[in-house]
Amino acid sequence: MSDRRIRKVVIVGGGTAGWMTAAALAKVNSPPQFEVTLIESDEIGIIGVGEATIPTIHWFNRLVGLDEAEFLRETRATYKLGIEFAGWNGAGSRYFHPFGRYGAPADQQMFFHRWIRADLAGQADSHQDYSLTTVTAMAGKFGPPTNDPNSIFSTLGCAYHFDAGLYAAYLRRYCEARGVKRLEGKVEAIEQHPETGFVTRLATHRGDSVEGDLFIDCSGLRALLIEGILEAGFEDWSHWLPCDRALAVPCERIADPIPYTRATAHGFGWQWRIPLQHRTGNGMVYSSAFASDDEAADGLLATLDGKALADPRPVKFRTGRRRKSWVKNVIAIGLSSGFLEPLESTSIHLIQSGIAKLLSLFPTKDCPEETAEQFNRVYGADVESVRDFLVLHYKRTEGRDEPLWRHCQAMAVPEGLAAKEANFTRTGRIVLSTDELFRDSSWFAVMMGQGLRATDYNPLLDSFPEADNKAHLDRVRQQIAQAAATLPSHEDYLRRLIGLPR
Ligand SMILES: Cc1cc2nc3c(=O)[nH]c(=O)nc-3n(C[C@H](O)[C@H](O)[C@H](O)COP(=O)(O)OP(=O)(O)OC[C@H]3O[C@@H](n4cnc5c(N)ncnc54)[C@H](O)[C@@H]3O)c2cc1C
C-alpha cells in the first residue's frame, strides 16, 4: 500500500495560488508524509493583482492558522464589508452588495418576502437600510460578526483587501518555516512517462531538476502543464463576459481607507478601487472590442483620487475555464484553471475551492480517473455558479446605453441565471443549490441593485396584517441604525487591532 502513497508534490508557480496551495499542504502534511517543492520564476514574476477577497477567505486563514492581527499587519490589509456598484444603471445609480445578511437574525430568507410585501404596498424604505453590513460600510465603520445567533451583529459579514505581493511573500515565509522547498528558475523542460503520459520531472533554465508524483499547476495564465503539456482545453465564456483587458495602477492614499471595494461602470467596462493601509489599488477592466488601450488608460488616470504611484500595468485575459482542471497527475489551481474577471473578487475564492477539493480528494500515485472526474465535476459546478452571478451584472444595465452595455443587454444568458431571474420576479424567491457560493443576500442585493423587481411574496405572510409587517420592519431598521452607531470607525478598529497609534 505504502508504495502507492504520494511522496513528492511539485507546485509550479509562486503567485497567490502557488503559495496558498503550498501553505495548505504544509499545514495538513504534518508530520510530513511527502516533500513539497515550489518552483517560481523571478524573471516571469506574478500577475500582482488580486487584492480583494470574499468572506470564504476566513476558511483558508483558519485552515492554515494565520493570526488575524499579524496577517493584517504583514499584508497592509483592510476590511471589506462588500462592494459598492456605482453607475451600473446609468449616471448617479449606486447600490451595495453586502457580505452580511439582511434583516434581524431570526428573519433569514423571510426578510426578503417581508420587505417585498411592504414595498408592493408602498411602505418600505430602501432595502439597504435593513442590512447592518451596508449601513456600517456606508458610515465608514467596522465591527466583526459575532457568534451569538441572537445578536444583530451576527448578521455582519466581512472579508479583506490586501497587497497581493506582500500576501505571497507572507505565505512564502509561512511555508518555508514549515519545510516547503523553494526553487527559483524558469521551467524549460518537462518530462512525461512514455506510457501513462504522467508528468515525471521538471527542469529549469538554471539546470535544477525536480521529480514528482503529483504536480500542481499554479503557473497563472500560462497554464504551463495543464494546457501546455496535457492540452486540457479551454471553454470560452467571453460571449457572456466580454471584458478581456485590464490596466492596474496604485495611487497614494488620500484619506482613511473605506471598508469596501468600489466598482464603477464606464462606457466600455468598469473600474475598481481597493483601499489598503498604505495605498489604493485601482484598475480598469474593459473590452478591447469597445475601447482602445489609450481610451481605457485615459479613463483610469483621469479618475484616480490620489497621485499615481506607477504607470498603468496592462493585463490581457480571456474569460472562461479549463475544460478539465485535473488531468493525469496534474491539477490546475488559480489562473491556470481559468479566469472569470474580477468584478466580484472571486478568483482567490476559486483558488481556495480548488485547494479544499484537492485536500478532500488527495490521490494515490496512480491518480485514479474517478477522483479526477469528481474534482472536475464539483470544481466545474462552483465556477459555473460564479459565472452566472457575474453575468447578471452585465446583463441588467437598463440605465446605460453605450455599445458594450447594449450588446450585453441583448445577449442570451445561461439557463440557470434565466431561471433564477424568472423565479425572483414572479415569486420573490431566490432559488439556490446547496453548494452555490453566493447565497440569497448576495443575489437579492445584486438583482435589486441591477433593477429587477419581485411582483409577489410568500403568501403565508398574509396570515398577519400589513401593519404588523411594517412595524416589524421599522423595528429592524431602527435596531440596525442603533447598532451601527455603536461601532468604531474602520480606521480606528484596524489601528487598535494591529497596534498602531492614531
Ligand atoms: C485584472 C485582474 C484583477 C484581479 N482582481 C482580483 C481580485 O480583486 N480578487 C481576486 O480574488 N482575484 C483577482 N484576480 C485574480 C488573481 O489575481 C489571481 O487569481 C491570483 O493572483 C492568482 O494568480 P496565480 O497565482 O494563479 O498566477 P500568477 O500570479 O500569475 O503566478 C504565476 C506564477 O507562475 C510562475 N511561472 C509561470 N511560468 C513559469 C515557468 N515556466 N517556470 C517557473 N515559474 C513559472 C510565475 O513566476 C508566477 O510565480 C484578478 C485578476 C486580474 C487579471
Side-chain angles (χ1 to χ4, degrees):
M1 196 56 144
S2 63
D3 62 337
R4 293 183 61 222
R5 296 286 180 251
I6 300 273
R7 297 293 172 215
K8 288 179 181 179
V9 178
V10 180
I11 299 171
V12 184
T16 304
W19 285 115
M20 283 179 86
T21 307
L25 288 175
K27 178 71 184 182
V28 300
N29 183 36
S30 171
Q33 292 191 63
F34 50 84
E35 286 172 13
V36 181
T37 306
L38 183 145
I39 310 180
E40 65 179 320
S41 156
D42 290 344
E43 187 193 322
I44 295 175
I46 65 171
I47 195 157
V49 279
E51 309 206 309
T53 59
I54 59 173
T56 51
I57 188 75
H58 302 299
W59 170 84
F60 178 80
N61 285 2
R62 268 194 299 272
L63 172 78
V64 299
L66 298 186
D67 172 74
E68 188 180 35
E70 182 187 271
F71 159 75
L72 286 160
R73 240 188 329 263
E74 294 284 333
T75 65
R76 310 300 302 269
T78 58
Y79 284 100
K80 174 179 174 189
L81 291 165
I83 304 177
E84 183 185 47
F85 288 90
W88 286 76
N89 256 318
S93 65
R94 200 169 280 277
Y95 72 93
F96 196 72
H97 167 197
F99 286 159
R101 301 199 311 275
Y102 286 86
D107 284 343
Q108 304 289 338
Q109 287 88 344
M110 216 34 125
F111 167 80
F112 306 122
H113 296 278
R114 281 182 173 278
W115 186 86
I116 292 163
R117 181 183 184 190
D119 188 48
L120 292 173
Q123 293 184 345
D125 294 304
S126 161
H127 63 287
Q128 306 206 118
D129 296 348
Y130 302 90
S131 153
L132 177 57
T133 309
T134 305
V135 174
T136 302
M138 292 300 113
K141 295 182 164 216
F142 182 76
T146 59
N147 290 328
D148 173 2
N150 299 317
S151 161
I152 189 74
F153 293 107
S154 68
T155 66
L156 284 167
C158 68
Y160 307 102
H161 306 115
F162 54 62
D163 181 312
L166 294 178
Y167 187 58
Y170 176 52
L171 289 180
R172 175 179 161 188
R173 287 195 294 280
Y174 172 99
C175 291
E176 288 183 326
R178 286 163 182 78
V180 174
K181 197 171 150 207
R182 172 184 181 264
L183 262 187
E184 203 288 310
K186 197 167 161 185
V187 173
E188 282 190 341
I190 299 158
E191 284 176 22
Q192 289 173 273
H193 189 280
E195 280 150 31
T196 62
F198 275 34
V199 174
T200 52
R201 181 192 291 272
L202 307 181
T204 72
H205 76 295
R206 292 168 175 271
D208 293 312
S209 104
V210 192
E211 276 183 1
D213 304 316
L214 184 68
F215 290 80
I216 316 293
D217 186 347
C218 296
S219 64
L221 295 171
R222 284 179 169 75
L224 189 70
L225 306 180
I226 196 78
E227 196 59 58
I229 299 297
L230 295 173
E231 300 177 348
F234 190 79
E235 198 174 329
D236 190 323
W237 287 339
S238 52
H239 51 294
W240 284 315
L241 296 168
C243 289
D244 58 357
R245 297 205 179 175
L247 290 166
V249 65
C251 76
E252 277 177 358
R253 161 189 167 144
I254 46 139
D256 287 353
I258 52 174
Y260 54 91
T261 301
R262 184 173 294 133
T264 305
H266 283 264
F268 43 76
W270 64 275
Q271 181 173 348
W272 78 74
R273 180 182 185 281
I274 296 178
L276 302 176
Q277 289 175 32
H278 56 311
R279 62 167 170 81
T280 303
N282 306 276
M284 184 72 82
V285 177
Y286 58 104
S287 164
S288 58
F290 294 94
S292 69
D293 298 341
D294 287 345
E295 274 174 282
D298 292 347
L300 175 62
L301 292 173
T303 49
L304 297 183
D305 56 15
K307 190 173 151 230
L309 297 172
D311 290 332
R313 196 157 49 82
V315 184
K316 289 186 185 169
F317 58 84
R318 191 153 57 115
T319 47
R321 68 158 170 213
R322 207 62 56 204
R323 285 189 194 282
K324 290 179 177 176
S325 289
W326 183 332
V327 182
K328 299 187 187 289
N329 63 339
V330 172
I331 300 165
I333 292 185
L335 293 174
S336 56
S337 72
F339 183 51
L340 283 182
E341 88 128 79
L343 186 54
E344 284 281 355
S345 333
T346 42
S347 288
I348 294 171
H349 163 79
L350 290 171
I351 293 173
Q352 294 172 200
S353 161
I355 292 172
K357 291 167 183 56
L358 166 65
L359 298 185
S360 69
L361 296 170
F362 199 80
T364 41
K365 276 185 187 167
D366 52 339
C367 289
E369 263 176 36
E370 298 79 356
T371 310
E373 267 167 31
Q374 169 75 356
F375 182 100
N376 290 329
R377 190 171 46 249
V378 288
Y379 182 74
D382 269 11
V383 181
E384 278 180 28
S385 78
V386 172
R387 174 200 67 195
D388 288 4
F389 189 56
L390 295 178
V391 174
L392 168 65
H393 300 65
Y394 275 84
K395 170 76 181 174
R396 298 282 162 193
T397 52
E398 272 77 19
R400 300 208 67 108
D401 73 349
E402 297 91 342
L404 164 69
W405 301 111
R406 283 203 303 271
H407 163 81
C408 294
Q409 288 153 17
M411 71 188 171
V413 299
E415 255 173 48
L417 174 58
K420 275 200 178 70
E421 289 189 352
N423 231 309
F424 179 67
T425 48
R426 185 153 177 203
T427 70
R429 294 194 172 89
I430 295 161
V431 179
L432 302 173
S433 61
T434 45
D435 46 5
E436 274 186 54
L437 167 64
F438 288 104
R439 308 308 301 169
D440 35 25
S441 290
S442 293
W443 280 92
F444 181 73
V446 176
M447 289 206 259
M448 291 290 299
Q450 301 281 152
L452 280 183
R453 289 294 173 269
T455 55
D456 205 353
Y457 52 90
N458 188 327
L460 289 178
L461 283 189
D462 288 339
S463 59
F464 55 83
E466 209 158 273
D468 289 3
N469 187 46
K470 167 93 170 84
H472 173 81
L473 288 174
D474 286 348
R475 270 194 308 276
V476 174
R477 188 167 44 75
Q478 256 174 23
Q479 195 190 1
I480 285 175
Q482 283 164 1
T486 66
L487 294 172
S489 78
H490 175 228
E491 175 78 3
D492 284 347
Y493 185 91
L494 253 183
R495 283 179 177 269
R496 234 184 350 256
L497 188 73
I498 62 181
L500 273 182
R502 191 57 157 130

